[in-house]
Short mmCIF file of all heavy atoms in Angstrom, two decimals:
data_model
loop_
_atom_site.label_atom_id
_atom_site.label_comp_id
_atom_site.label_asym_id
_atom_site.label_seq_id
_atom_site.Cartn_x
_atom_site.Cartn_y
_atom_site.Cartn_z
N GLY N 46 -6.75 18.94 -10.78
CA GLY N 46 -5.76 18.43 -10.01
C GLY N 46 -5.79 16.90 -9.59
O GLY N 46 -4.75 16.32 -9.35
N SER N 71 -10.47 27.28 -8.00
CA SER N 71 -10.49 28.10 -6.80
C SER N 71 -9.19 28.95 -6.69
O SER N 71 -9.00 29.74 -5.83
CB SER N 71 -10.56 27.15 -5.50
OG SER N 71 -9.35 26.33 -5.45
N TYR N 72 -8.34 28.77 -7.57
CA TYR N 72 -7.02 29.43 -7.37
C TYR N 72 -6.59 30.40 -8.41
O TYR N 72 -5.68 31.32 -8.02
CB TYR N 72 -5.85 28.28 -7.25
CG TYR N 72 -5.54 27.96 -5.86
CD1 TYR N 72 -6.40 27.23 -5.06
CD2 TYR N 72 -4.42 28.47 -5.19
CE1 TYR N 72 -6.15 26.90 -3.76
CE2 TYR N 72 -4.13 28.13 -3.95
CZ TYR N 72 -5.00 27.36 -3.24
OH TYR N 72 -4.68 27.10 -1.86
N PRO N 78 -5.97 30.90 -1.74
CA PRO N 78 -7.24 30.48 -2.30
C PRO N 78 -8.07 31.76 -2.71
O PRO N 78 -7.96 32.87 -2.19
CB PRO N 78 -8.00 29.78 -1.08
CG PRO N 78 -7.14 29.97 0.01
CD PRO N 78 -5.71 30.44 -0.40
N GLU N 100 -10.29 13.94 -4.28
CA GLU N 100 -9.57 15.27 -4.38
C GLU N 100 -8.05 15.07 -4.31
O GLU N 100 -7.54 14.07 -3.77
CB GLU N 100 -9.99 16.27 -3.30
CG GLU N 100 -10.91 17.32 -3.77
CD GLU N 100 -10.43 18.35 -4.56
OE1 GLU N 100 -9.42 18.12 -5.21
OE2 GLU N 100 -11.05 19.43 -4.57
N ASP N 101 -7.30 16.07 -4.91
CA ASP N 101 -5.91 16.03 -4.84
C ASP N 101 -5.43 16.46 -3.43
O ASP N 101 -4.59 15.88 -2.78
CB ASP N 101 -5.26 16.87 -5.92
CG ASP N 101 -5.83 18.29 -6.04
OD1 ASP N 101 -6.72 18.61 -5.26
OD2 ASP N 101 -5.40 18.96 -6.89
N ILE N 102 -6.03 17.63 -2.99
CA ILE N 102 -5.49 18.19 -1.70
C ILE N 102 -6.59 18.97 -0.99
O ILE N 102 -7.39 19.68 -1.63
CB ILE N 102 -4.33 19.09 -2.02
CG1 ILE N 102 -3.69 19.63 -0.65
CG2 ILE N 102 -4.61 20.26 -2.86
CD1 ILE N 102 -2.30 20.23 -0.80
N LEU N 103 -6.68 18.77 0.27
CA LEU N 103 -7.60 19.51 1.11
C LEU N 103 -6.88 20.57 1.87
O LEU N 103 -5.98 20.29 2.72
CB LEU N 103 -8.26 18.56 2.10
CG LEU N 103 -9.22 19.05 3.13
CD1 LEU N 103 -10.35 19.85 2.58
CD2 LEU N 103 -9.87 17.90 3.91
N ASP N 104 -7.10 21.87 1.47
CA ASP N 104 -6.36 22.93 2.02
C ASP N 104 -7.20 23.84 2.84
O ASP N 104 -7.41 23.50 4.04
CB ASP N 104 -5.74 23.70 0.80
CG ASP N 104 -4.80 24.79 1.13
OD1 ASP N 104 -4.29 24.85 2.19
OD2 ASP N 104 -4.47 25.65 0.24
N SER N 105 -7.76 24.98 2.37
CA SER N 105 -8.61 25.77 3.16
C SER N 105 -10.00 24.99 3.35
O SER N 105 -10.66 25.27 4.36
CB SER N 105 -8.95 27.04 2.43
OG SER N 105 -9.90 26.80 1.34
N GLY N 106 -10.28 24.07 2.48
CA GLY N 106 -11.55 23.29 2.51
C GLY N 106 -12.66 23.97 1.84
O GLY N 106 -13.79 23.52 1.75
N ASN N 107 -12.48 25.21 1.38
CA ASN N 107 -13.51 25.98 0.72
C ASN N 107 -14.01 25.33 -0.56
O ASN N 107 -15.31 25.25 -0.79
CB ASN N 107 -13.01 27.44 0.38
CG ASN N 107 -12.82 28.14 1.67
OD1 ASN N 107 -13.37 27.85 2.66
ND2 ASN N 107 -12.02 29.11 1.60
N SER N 108 -13.21 24.74 -1.35
CA SER N 108 -13.66 24.11 -2.57
C SER N 108 -14.55 22.89 -2.32
O SER N 108 -15.54 22.62 -2.93
CB SER N 108 -12.59 23.60 -3.56
OG SER N 108 -11.34 24.22 -3.28
N LEU N 109 -14.14 22.11 -1.23
CA LEU N 109 -14.84 20.94 -0.93
C LEU N 109 -16.21 21.30 -0.30
O LEU N 109 -17.15 20.68 -0.59
CB LEU N 109 -14.07 19.97 -0.06
CG LEU N 109 -13.31 18.95 -0.82
CD1 LEU N 109 -12.35 18.21 0.10
CD2 LEU N 109 -14.24 17.95 -1.51
N LYS N 132 -3.77 19.27 4.25
CA LYS N 132 -2.91 20.50 4.83
C LYS N 132 -3.73 21.06 5.95
O LYS N 132 -4.36 22.11 5.70
CB LYS N 132 -2.67 21.40 3.73
CG LYS N 132 -1.28 21.86 3.52
CD LYS N 132 -1.26 23.16 2.57
CE LYS N 132 -0.76 22.92 1.15
NZ LYS N 132 -0.74 24.12 0.39
N GLU N 153 3.02 23.92 3.08
CA GLU N 153 3.97 24.25 2.00
C GLU N 153 3.16 24.06 0.70
O GLU N 153 2.20 23.30 0.60
CB GLU N 153 5.07 23.20 1.96
CG GLU N 153 5.80 23.06 3.21
CD GLU N 153 7.12 23.94 3.18
OE1 GLU N 153 7.14 24.93 2.49
OE2 GLU N 153 8.10 23.49 3.95
N PHE N 154 3.58 24.88 -0.27
CA PHE N 154 2.93 24.80 -1.54
C PHE N 154 3.61 23.63 -2.43
O PHE N 154 4.72 23.69 -2.73
CB PHE N 154 2.95 26.09 -2.37
CG PHE N 154 1.99 26.08 -3.46
CD1 PHE N 154 0.63 26.37 -3.32
CD2 PHE N 154 2.42 25.83 -4.79
CE1 PHE N 154 -0.21 26.29 -4.38
CE2 PHE N 154 1.64 25.80 -5.88
CZ PHE N 154 0.19 26.01 -5.61
N VAL N 155 2.81 22.64 -2.72
CA VAL N 155 3.32 21.44 -3.38
C VAL N 155 2.84 21.33 -4.83
O VAL N 155 1.74 21.87 -5.17
CB VAL N 155 2.99 20.17 -2.66
CG1 VAL N 155 3.62 20.16 -1.28
CG2 VAL N 155 1.41 20.04 -2.43
N VAL N 156 3.59 20.71 -5.68
CA VAL N 156 3.25 20.44 -6.99
C VAL N 156 3.58 19.02 -7.44
O VAL N 156 4.32 18.32 -6.72
CB VAL N 156 4.00 21.42 -7.99
CG1 VAL N 156 3.53 22.84 -7.86
CG2 VAL N 156 5.49 21.37 -7.89
N LEU N 160 -0.97 18.04 -9.32
CA LEU N 160 -1.04 19.37 -8.74
C LEU N 160 -0.17 20.46 -9.49
O LEU N 160 0.93 20.05 -9.87
CB LEU N 160 -0.59 19.39 -7.23
CG LEU N 160 -1.51 18.59 -6.28
CD1 LEU N 160 -0.70 17.85 -5.26
CD2 LEU N 160 -2.40 19.67 -5.66
N ASP N 161 -0.76 21.62 -9.60
CA ASP N 161 -0.04 22.62 -10.49
C ASP N 161 0.37 23.80 -9.71
O ASP N 161 -0.19 24.10 -8.69
CB ASP N 161 -0.92 22.98 -11.69
CG ASP N 161 -2.08 23.91 -11.26
OD1 ASP N 161 -2.74 23.64 -10.34
OD2 ASP N 161 -2.14 25.03 -11.90
P1 IMP Z 1 -8.98 24.49 -0.86
O1 IMP Z 1 -10.28 24.95 -1.39
O2 IMP Z 1 -8.20 25.64 -0.24
O3 IMP Z 1 -9.13 23.38 0.06
O4 IMP Z 1 -8.08 24.15 -2.11
C1 IMP Z 1 -8.36 22.98 -2.83
C2 IMP Z 1 -7.71 23.21 -4.15
O5 IMP Z 1 -6.63 24.16 -4.25
C3 IMP Z 1 -7.01 21.91 -4.49
O6 IMP Z 1 -7.90 21.01 -5.10
C4 IMP Z 1 -5.84 22.34 -5.29
O7 IMP Z 1 -6.32 22.37 -6.73
C5 IMP Z 1 -5.51 23.76 -4.87
N1 IMP Z 1 -4.36 23.64 -3.95
C6 IMP Z 1 -4.38 23.81 -2.62
N2 IMP Z 1 -3.17 23.70 -2.05
C7 IMP Z 1 -2.30 23.54 -3.09
C8 IMP Z 1 -0.96 23.18 -3.23
O8 IMP Z 1 -0.15 23.19 -2.26
N3 IMP Z 1 -0.46 23.03 -4.46
C9 IMP Z 1 -1.21 23.09 -5.55
N4 IMP Z 1 -2.55 23.27 -5.52
C10 IMP Z 1 -3.05 23.52 -4.29
#
Side-chain angles (χ1 to χ4, degrees):
S71 64
Y72 263 74
E100 257 288 22
D101 50 0
I102 186 165
L103 176 52
D104 187 16
S105 73
N107 293 335
S108 345
L109 268 172
K132 230 193 249 181
E153 301 266 26
F154 195 79
V155 294
V156 294
L160 289 142
D161 75 309

